[in-house]
Amino acid sequence: MSDQRVVRPTPISGFPEWTPQVRAVEQRWLDHIRAGFESFGFASVETPSVENLDVLMAKGETSQEVYTLHRLQADAKDDSDARLGLHFDLTVPFARYVAQHFNDLTFPFKRYQMQRVWRGERPQEGRFREFTQCDIDVINVDSVPLHFDAELPRIVHGVLSGLDIPAWTLNVNNRKVLQGFYEGLGVKDPIAVIRAVDKLHKIGDDGVRRILIDEGLSTEQIDPCLALARVKGDGAHVVARVRELGVSSELLDEGLEELAFVMNDLADLPEGDVVADLSIARGLDYYTGTVYEASFDDDPGYGSICAGGRYENLAGQFIRRRLPGVGISIGLTRIFAKLVAEGRIEGGRTCPTDVMVVVPSAERRAEALRTGELLRERGFNTEVFHSTSKVGKQIQYASKKGIPFVWFPPFEEGGEHEVKDMEQGGQAVADPAIWDPRG
């Protein structure tokens, strides 16, 4: 008996992995999302999993979220990897990418990016250390037309509507509305209030009120702030409700105008799917205009399944050009993991094989290989059995893998090809050069 130590295989918390059947469904989802993005003319890019820490910190996140990179056997004096980290979102790498390739891109630059990201946080329901995000962003020189602020939620609406997921709502707000309103109230630090209001759904009115008191706001300022956060509805309704609160500022007027434009542009979508919700703040400081956040209607506490917004100059931090942008991200893993946990994902096939070719004998293996190659050339995913086991064992293998067709090349010189339909049970003579299971 070997004295080699046995390492028990255990799952790592926060790093989901799926069986082949479930992974097949996830891949179909990715293909669906990709097709939706490309239908609006967005081009695919992919950036390295690793970025310089200076780049990752450009977004203002805390360093605790970043997994830094160190080689296990590195010399103690060798700190060459010490300033590298795994990216925790796709927006900052994209901003760096645009700055680096500025002279090679056509603006407005419309890109989509579907990659895994890593965050060093405590795993819990809906939160992972490794997960897949599906982002679309538009970056332009000097200004981004407001048209894109409406186009991005339209794209996401079409993508999510094509997936079999629970009912959801996409909420839209504008940071200028919040900041302009707070400035109109005489608040000295509007950004601090935005961060506090962003916690409203987690800690409630009383929790936000306590934070605002600590920030030095008076009751006369806090009550309108909470009243603003309760405003929700379609574009015209929301603007009227905000006006009734009696606060005014130029920035507020600008934000309300932009919010109304976006909502009016989306008015043709099903009622209630996209809603103006002034409690949505998106706590990241770099958002400057439109913001988005979507959640499941029956489980809003699960976390946002889609989020994003407009940023004025994130890419400009890396180049001496003004490069504003607007983006939105679908949290694929967060959505998919919930449905897997609830048993709502009906697994696909265990493998992509369309046809398995039987190997009758060692002498007939060359014929089996030629048959497999011919079927592949005609577009069928085909595997040739890996040994000359008994035919019954080969068929059993195909059955366990869910392979729909088993191909029998001639068992002797001059014989005929036959194919067996594993679902229907029938078997018939067939020509690999013209066979078509669709009839």
Side-chain angles (χ1 to χ4, degrees):
M1 182 176 177
S2 172
D3 59 358
Q4 180 178 348
R5 185 172 67 92
V6 176
V7 179
R8 184 183 299 276
T10 57
I12 303 174
S13 179
F15 292 81
E17 61 183 7
W18 316 121
T19 62
Q21 298 96 316
V22 174
R23 172 60 176 161
V25 178
E26 185 184 41
Q27 286 183 305
R28 289 203 299 268
W29 281 34
L30 287 165
D31 290 341
H32 168 79
I33 295 170
R34 182 181 298 108
F37 290 168
E38 291 184 354
S39 71
F40 279 77
F42 284 72
S44 174
V45 304
E46 185 169 283
T47 58
S49 300
V50 173
E51 296 279 349
N52 286 314
L53 289 181
D54 290 342
V55 171
L56 294 175
M57 293 300 100
K59 195 174 180 180
E61 293 284 349
T62 59
S63 59
Q64 285 87 346
E65 280 198 353
V66 179
Y67 283 111
T68 57
L69 203 65
H70 298 274
R71 289 180 292 122
L72 186 62
Q73 302 298 331
D75 187 291
K77 297 180 180 179
D78 180 8
D79 62 351
S80 59
D81 293 336
R83 297 300 301 169
L84 299 178
L86 294 172
H87 58 221
F88 57 85
D89 81 343
L90 300 177
T91 305
V92 171
F94 171 56
R96 189 269 309 154
Y97 176 95
V98 171
Q100 185 171 331
H101 299 278
F102 179 81
N103 293 325
D104 302 317
L105 303 176
T106 300
F107 293 92
F109 182 49
K110 301 167 60 175
R111 86 82 170 85
Y112 74 89
Q113 196 167 343
M114 301 165 61
Q115 290 183 237
R116 295 193 177 194
V117 299
W118 295 266
R119 290 187 184 175
E121 58 183 0
R122 183 173 64 86
Q124 54 186 298
E125 186 182 34
R127 289 189 176 274
F128 305 92
R129 291 171 173 169
E130 178 183 64
F131 53 97
T132 300
Q133 286 191 179
C134 304
D135 284 23
I136 43 175
D137 283 77
V138 180
I139 281 183
N140 196 34
V141 179
D142 294 331
S143 67
V144 176
L146 196 60
H147 154 79
F148 288 113
D149 292 46
E151 182 173 85
L152 297 193
R154 181 178 296 278
I155 295 170
V156 166
H157 182 274
V159 166
L160 294 182
S161 296
L163 297 173
D164 186 16
I165 64 175
W168 50 273
T169 299
L170 178 61
N171 298 298
V172 183
N173 196 3
N174 193 297
R175 288 283 290 259
K176 293 177 183 177
V177 173
L178 301 180
Q179 186 166 344
F181 188 88
Y182 303 151
E183 289 177 354
L185 287 172
V187 172
K188 294 181 179 179
D189 188 355
I191 299 300
V193 179
I194 288 176
R195 294 196 195 104
V197 172
D198 191 50
K199 300 180 175 69
L200 182 64
H201 295 288
K202 296 180 180 179
I203 63 177
D205 283 17
D206 291 342
V208 172
R209 184 179 292 274
R210 285 193 292 271
I211 294 176
L212 296 182
I213 289 174
D214 291 341
E215 290 290 338
L217 273 68
S218 65
T219 300
E220 290 73 18
Q221 292 172 316
I222 294 174
D223 288 344
C225 289
L226 293 175
L228 180 70
R230 288 189 284 269
V231 175
K232 188 174 183 178
D234 61 32
H237 170 75
V238 163
V239 171
R241 286 281 305 279
V242 174
R243 295 299 187 199
E244 290 172 2
L245 296 176
V247 177
S248 62
S249 76
E250 290 185 7
L251 188 60
L252 173 62
D253 292 341
E254 185 178 336
L256 288 174
E257 183 178 342
E258 292 180 1
L259 180 60
F261 175 91
V262 172
M263 294 304 298
N264 290 339
D265 207 59
L266 300 172
D268 60 301
L269 298 180
E271 185 177 358
D273 282 7
V274 181
V275 174
D277 184 345
L278 300 196
S279 69
I280 301 301
R282 302 300 301 159
L284 297 175
D285 293 349
Y286 72 89
Y287 287 124
T288 56
T290 304
V291 288
Y292 318 101
E293 193 168 291
S295 59
F296 290 124
D297 293 349
D298 62 352
D299 193 3
Y302 180 69
S304 61
I305 61 172
C306 176
R310 176 177 279 255
Y311 44 91
E312 282 307 309
N313 208 25
L314 191 58
Q317 298 181 76
F318 307 109
I319 189 173
R320 294 183 181 276
R321 298 297 298 266
R322 188 166 182 271
L323 295 169
V326 59
I328 194 167
S329 174
I330 296 173
L332 174 66
T333 302
R334 177 172 286 180
I335 300 172
F336 195 75
K338 177 180 176 65
L339 271 63
V340 171
E342 295 175 352
R344 300 174 67 163
I345 293 294
E346 184 176 346
R349 290 163 53 187
T350 58
C351 73
T353 307
D354 300 317
V355 184
M356 190 202 77
V357 179
V358 165
V359 178
S361 63
E363 294 76 19
R364 305 299 299 171
R365 183 168 183 80
E367 178 67 25
L369 291 172
R370 283 193 296 271
T371 301
E373 190 61 32
L374 179 57
L375 290 169
R376 287 188 207 97
E377 289 174 356
R378 298 189 55 232
F380 298 107
N381 297 331
T382 305
E383 60 178 286
V384 177
F385 197 71
H386 50 274
S387 74
T388 55
S389 302
K390 292 181 179 179
V391 172
K393 185 176 181 179
Q394 297 186 46
I395 295 174
Q396 185 180 46
Y397 170 86
S399 177
K400 286 183 177 180
K401 291 188 70 174
I403 299 173
F405 296 97
V406 173
W407 196 278
F408 301 93
F411 278 39
E412 57 186 34
E413 195 67 34
E416 294 183 303
H417 290 264
E418 294 187 15
V419 63
K420 179 180 180 64
D421 186 326
M422 297 294 286
E423 294 182 359
Q424 302 299 323
Q427 184 169 324
V429 173
D431 183 347
I434 62 173
W435 173 75
D436 188 341
R438 294 163 295 188

